[in-house]
Amino acid sequence: GQSPPPALYDQSPPPPALYGLGLLLAPSVGLGEAPTPPASCRSVGAQRWPPRCSAPAGLLQQAGARGLHFFNFRAGSPSALRVLAAVQEGRARINPKKGCRVDLAFTTELYNPEEGKERLGKCSAQVFFRKQKPRPAINVTCTQFIEKEKRQEKDFLLYKQMKQLKTPLDVISIPDSHGYIDPSLRPIWDLAFLGSSYVMWEKTTQILYYYMVQLRSVKQWKTQEDAIDFDYTVLLHEFPTQEIVPCDIHLVWYPGKPLKVKYHCQELQTPEEASGTGEGSAAAPTDFKNF
Amino acid sequence: MKLQLRVAQWFAQDLTISKWQSQDFNTGICPTNPVHIAFYYLLHQPAVLETSSSFSTFVLHSSLCRSLAEHTQDDVDKTVSSWRSLETYNYNKYHPIEEIYQWMSQISEKYKDVVTQHFLGMTYETRPMNYLKISQPSNNPKKIIWMDCGIHAREWIAPAFCQWFVKEILQNYTDNSRIRTLLSHLDFYILPVLNVDGYIYTWTTNRLWRKSRSSHNNGTCFGTDLNRNFNVSWCSIGASKDCQDITFCGTGPVSEPETKAVTSFIESEKENILCFFTMHSYGQLILAPYGYTKNKSSNHEELIEVGEKAANALKAKHGMTYRVGSSADILYSTSGSSRDWARDIGIPFSYTFELRDTGTHGFILPEDQIQPTCEETMEAVLSVLDDVYNKYWSSNCAGKVTSTTMALSLLMFFIFLL
């Protein structure tokens, strides 16, 4: 038969010194960790990017949120609003002269989640911040996660609910101080969020970004075309300044038609690049410059 | 006693919560009759003795009735039906300051074996800042865990969490071995509302107020951002010298009475304080030092490791993602923050928690999210405390040697011996 392979004990054992060394090294070896990339370049699930990526903190998250402001405005559907779920991958390229370009892929959830149903949409976006200027150029595409007919149906339902509300509305603030929104007033909030999305996108810069906090003094008007036409004051929370920025917004909406928005925000002492006033329609082609 | 009770009842009815919340708050609903004031003092002696050093100021000051009402005792509680009992206290709702003060009194009464209420200092508008000390009687010396909530007035979920935390510790310490173990070596000092004046202002006038209510520029300008007022790289970055701005750093480091109250206490106990937790909203972040520089603290890696473990424990509860990092790295640059100051005077585990959410509701978090937010945050805080406890008192984890590497080392040693 075959001779058995040389047994381990036949080999001369490693010199004792090595074991001693092993004993000394063992505690530290157990804890060795690969160096982590600088936090500013880290992103969920992404590869490491070259060291010159010195994007402001949370830029990928913010780029996703802003991409969605633009997406929501353009879609013009208050019942199908999306919010950021998670950034899956992304990178930022900084060009000192031109600004910052962020490419990212992210998942989205419904702003108004349906009970029991968890929908996750997928989007990819390129967001271009032109050197401290507001109104980043955004290219965003998302997978459809609500069927068109269902979305239109919900929009019409919302439209009818709005029409049934008594004008003038006797509402001081939505939500109240405890975060409560009466279900009958929810359509107002959703529509206001749609209009505010436009404003938040327009005001956003590489540094400044916004969240909608509260609605004040809502006034609804009748129109000849039977569109929803209403004025409201929205309070936006501005990062990183922490300021609360009041904006007067006038929006006109009819299901299936592009949203029209006019606004004027109270500018604070510090002068900004953005003008405090603007208007837009989702019908107009948006400016997209190649970076 | 009966007469005193009747007078006190008259007082309590006069000073009902609804009146506190009305716009008339600052315009003389407080009694000024010195006889009435004296009776009220007699009735509330224990509470006033607590503040006896400033009692004379109290008696003469027009805000006396507010301060004393906030030290309401159980006997008055029972005679006035609008006050609630501890059994029915709803931790899933936001409470105005009067209810929080009352809750603190009731909690320290019910759990008097382990809880005492203390006076930290006065706010700008001369209201008391009270904290709770939770301490299991024991022969061994204790280290201190400090937690403050509501340094920014509009961040209502933070005081709600402080109350929840206290409730959880007290309702479970007798039969929960994890909490009992922590209490065997740690004392908890909890300040449910740091910025009392600002908090009241968010209830009466402006829900989104952030700063304190100190007056500047001859009453044309109000409020200092208390979290920019600490003496650590004061006003160097991320703060403003303009009193109109929302991040106004004050007229100087520690210029505000609220900041003074916190710093005096923490300074006096700093040798014994292991953890400094300051609770905020919103953003879902666990922030380590620093905000005033991108440089890292000497124990930065440890803080991140402990923080990430806490974030995982938090996520396991309801699936929420909290990001962990230094403030300058993952949020923005700030100077004069309480967390940075605490770290720089030597408190090793110093964290800012930014609670729910990430912008959908922001500061105005609906009440139905109070419970899940508090439950997950509880897991995160307990996780940090476990790590801190293990670091200082567990025989398993001396330094950084893990049990696996110890076993490996032993195995290799024995092989060598063969």
Side-chain angles (χ1 to χ4, degrees):
Chain A
Q2 277 180 330
S3 58
L8 274 172
Y9 57 76
D10 281 341
Q11 299 165 342
S12 56
L18 269 181
Y19 279 120
L21 202 60
L23 274 175
L24 284 170
L25 288 173
S28 52
V29 160
L31 294 161
E33 277 179 11
T36 48
S40 55
C41 291
R42 228 183 284 151
S43 57
V44 179
Q47 304 155 4
R48 292 188 216 179
W49 295 109
R52 71 183 172 94
C53 167
S54 56
L59 183 63
L60 292 178
Q61 234 87 0
Q62 288 316 314
R66 296 156 190 185
L68 281 178
H69 286 327
F70 179 74
F71 178 85
N72 284 329
F73 161 68
R74 207 183 51 193
S77 176
S79 59
L81 296 162
R82 299 186 193 223
V83 287
L84 183 70
V87 175
Q88 294 179 305
E89 58 179 350
R91 62 181 182 180
R93 272 191 242 130
I94 315 282
N95 182 320
K97 283 186 191 165
K98 288 190 183 176
C100 174
R101 169 181 163 156
V102 183
D103 290 68
L104 71 160
F106 54 95
T107 53
T108 64
E109 284 168 341
L110 270 180
Y111 187 61
N112 279 322
E114 289 170 333
E115 278 199 44
K117 280 189 195 166
E118 252 193 53
R119 288 178 199 264
L120 270 186
K122 279 190 179 170
C123 300
S124 67
Q126 292 98 46
V127 180
F128 297 71
F129 297 100
R130 288 159 300 192
K131 208 182 170 211
Q132 309 310 327
K133 286 198 196 299
R135 207 173 193 263
I138 299 180
N139 203 10
V140 56
T141 46
C142 294
T143 55
Q144 184 184 277
F145 73 156
I146 299 180
E147 302 77 39
K148 193 176 178 188
E149 292 78 30
K150 192 161 188 198
R151 189 165 48 84
Q152 285 174 335
E153 200 180 291
K154 285 186 160 194
D155 279 350
F156 261 108
L157 188 63
L158 194 145
Y159 168 80
K160 274 187 255 176
Q161 286 170 326
M162 288 286 302
K163 281 290 176 188
Q164 274 158 17
L165 290 167
K166 271 186 291 180
T167 54
L169 287 160
D170 188 22
V171 161
I172 306 167
S173 66
I174 304 172
D176 67 13
S177 285
H178 297 238
Y180 177 70
I181 300 177
D182 191 281
S184 67
L185 300 177
R186 185 79 207 189
I188 302 180
W189 175 263
D190 290 340
L191 203 48
F193 183 74
L194 184 61
S196 304
S197 296
Y198 176 77
V199 178
M200 292 192 281
W201 162 57
E202 276 228 333
K203 287 178 68 61
T204 261
T205 67
Q206 189 175 334
I207 311 290
L208 294 174
Y209 53 97
Y210 300 87
Y211 296 100
M212 184 168 110
V213 182
Q214 203 174 39
L215 293 186
R216 299 278 174 88
S217 62
V218 182
K219 286 185 223 73
Q220 192 177 188
W221 309 103
K222 294 207 187 295
T223 67
Q224 287 171 332
E225 303 81 36
D226 227 17
I228 301 291
D229 185 327
F230 81 107
D231 281 320
Y232 58 100
T233 302
V234 72
L235 298 178
L236 299 181
H237 178 212
E238 183 180 83
F239 268 82
T241 64
Q242 291 293 339
E243 294 285 357
I244 300 294
V245 181
C247 297
D248 293 321
I249 300 184
H250 181 181
L251 72 82
V252 178
W253 175 71
Y254 190 85
K257 292 208 172 144
L259 181 74
K260 289 185 202 150
V261 181
K262 263 191 198 175
Y263 71 93
H264 174 75
C265 293
Q266 234 178 72
E267 293 308 316
L268 308 162
Q269 304 94 294
T270 48
E272 283 173 29
E273 292 274 357
S275 69
T277 310
E279 63 180 278
S281 163
T286 42
D287 200 357
F288 181 83
K289 287 193 178 117
N290 272 327
F291 188 67
Chain B
M1 190 60 185
K2 263 193 179 169
L3 176 63
Q4 286 170 322
L5 264 176
R6 236 180 265 144
V7 171
Q9 210 170 352
W10 178 86
F11 263 82
Q13 280 164 2
D14 193 31
L15 308 171
T16 52
I17 292 168
S18 57
K19 278 201 178 172
W20 290 129
Q21 291 182 333
S22 77
Q23 292 285 4
D24 292 326
F25 185 75
N26 286 318
T27 57
I29 57 166
C30 291
T32 51
N33 184 322
V35 176
H36 287 157
I37 292 172
F39 266 148
Y40 207 45
Y41 159 60
L42 279 171
L43 192 65
H44 296 276
Q45 217 165 13
V48 179
L49 274 178
E50 177 84 41
T51 60
S52 59
S53 58
S54 38
F55 172 69
S56 49
T57 331
F58 264 52
V59 172
L60 296 170
H61 205 287
S62 61
S63 64
L64 167 69
C65 59
R66 287 196 299 241
S67 310
L68 290 180
E70 285 146 10
H71 286 89
T72 311
Q73 297 291 292
D74 278 349
D75 47 359
V76 176
D77 294 348
K78 285 172 199 154
T79 61
V80 181
S81 55
S82 61
W83 299 96
R84 297 190 193 91
S85 80
L86 200 56
E87 275 67 47
T88 55
Y89 194 78
N90 191 342
Y91 293 93
N92 294 337
K93 280 191 138 8
Y94 297 117
H95 292 274
I97 195 69
E98 301 78 14
E99 291 180 10
I100 297 177
Y101 277 136
Q102 187 195 357
W103 168 82
M104 289 176 74
S105 295
Q106 290 173 332
I107 276 268
S108 39
E109 176 59 38
K110 175 169 184 178
Y111 295 97
K112 54 162 77 89
D113 294 342
V114 289
V115 182
T116 43
Q117 181 178 281
H118 302 264
F119 174 79
L120 192 73
M122 300 259 269
T123 65
Y124 182 86
E125 290 176 335
T126 66
R127 295 189 179 88
M129 296 164 68
N130 294 326
Y131 67 91
L132 293 172
K133 173 181 173 181
I134 305 176
S135 177
Q136 175 88 315
S138 145
N139 289 327
N140 52 270
K142 308 274 198 59
K143 291 293 183 183
I144 296 171
I145 307 298
W146 167 271
M147 183 188 293
D148 65 74
C149 297
I151 190 172
H152 287 142
R154 58 195 180 191
E155 299 166 11
W156 283 13
I157 186 62
F161 174 71
C162 264
Q163 293 167 70
W164 183 280
F165 182 82
V166 167
K167 175 256 296 181
E168 281 296 306
I169 296 291
L170 296 176
Q171 282 180 355
N172 295 304
Y173 80 96
T174 47
D175 50 17
N176 182 316
S177 61
R178 186 189 193 188
I179 294 177
R180 245 200 351 265
T181 308
L182 293 173
L183 280 173
S184 66
H185 281 93
L186 299 168
D187 286 345
F188 294 115
Y189 288 62
I190 315 289
L191 178 63
V193 185
L194 195 158
N195 180 6
V196 178
D197 298 346
Y199 187 70
I200 291 174
Y201 198 72
T202 60
W203 278 81
T204 59
T205 314
N206 181 351
R207 175 64 178 84
L208 296 171
W209 190 256
R210 169 185 165 95
K211 302 187 284 182
S212 69
R213 290 296 299 164
S214 53
S215 171
H216 305 279
N217 283 10
N218 291 327
T220 58
C221 211
F222 288 90
T224 297
D225 186 339
L226 297 172
N227 205 33
R228 302 286 185 276
N229 190 236
F230 285 75
N231 192 10
V232 60
S233 193
W234 178 79
C235 229
S236 59
I237 189 170
S240 169
K241 292 245 168 102
D242 185 339
C243 65
Q244 288 181 309
D245 285 345
I246 206 163
T247 53
F248 176 52
C249 53
T251 49
V254 203
S255 58
E256 304 307 304
E258 294 89 349
T259 321
K260 279 195 185 71
V262 173
T263 52
S264 309
F265 176 77
I266 303 282
E267 275 277 11
S268 68
E269 298 278 359
K270 68 181 179 194
E271 306 303 325
N272 292 319
I273 305 178
L274 289 183
C275 294
F276 182 91
F277 297 121
T278 181
M279 312 306 284
H280 292 243
S281 77
Y282 57 94
Q284 296 182 201
L285 305 166
I286 298 175
L287 300 170
Y290 295 105
Y292 69 85
T293 173
K294 289 226 169 193
N295 293 342
K296 304 297 185 277
S297 61
S298 57
N299 63 342
H300 175 76
E301 267 150 35
E302 182 181 32
L303 288 177
I304 298 299
E305 192 182 328
V306 169
E308 282 182 349
K309 205 163 147 213
N312 288 337
L314 187 153
K315 188 168 188 154
K317 196 74 188 174
H318 297 295
M320 286 297 171
T321 303
Y322 273 55
R323 292 185 293 135
V324 180
S326 86
S327 199
D329 279 347
I330 69 169
L331 187 57
Y332 44 67
S333 293
T334 54
S335 57
S337 73
S338 63
R339 174 211 59 234
D340 287 351
W341 174 81
R343 182 66 196 87
D344 277 355
I345 60 160
I347 295 170
F349 290 88
S350 192
Y351 289 103
T352 304
F353 279 75
E354 294 277 359
L355 305 183
R356 284 198 197 181
D357 57 14
T358 51
T360 308
H361 301 95
F363 303 117
I364 314 188
L365 193 70
E367 285 177 323
D368 61 15
Q369 287 201 46
I370 293 178
Q371 179 165 338
T373 306
C374 289
E375 286 173 341
E376 66 198 15
T377 310
M378 190 79 196
E379 291 303 320
V381 172
L382 287 175
S383 170
V384 175
L385 294 177
D386 283 343
D387 283 346
V388 169
Y389 183 90
N390 286 333
K391 175 177 177 155
Y392 291 93
W393 291 287
S394 170
S395 52
N396 284 340
C397 292
K400 277 197 142 194
V401 180
T402 66
S403 50
T404 336
T405 48
M406 274 297 276
L408 270 172
S409 315
L410 280 169
L411 183 65
M412 289 173 78
F413 179 71
F414 283 123
I415 292 170
F416 163 62
L417 282 177
L418 285 171

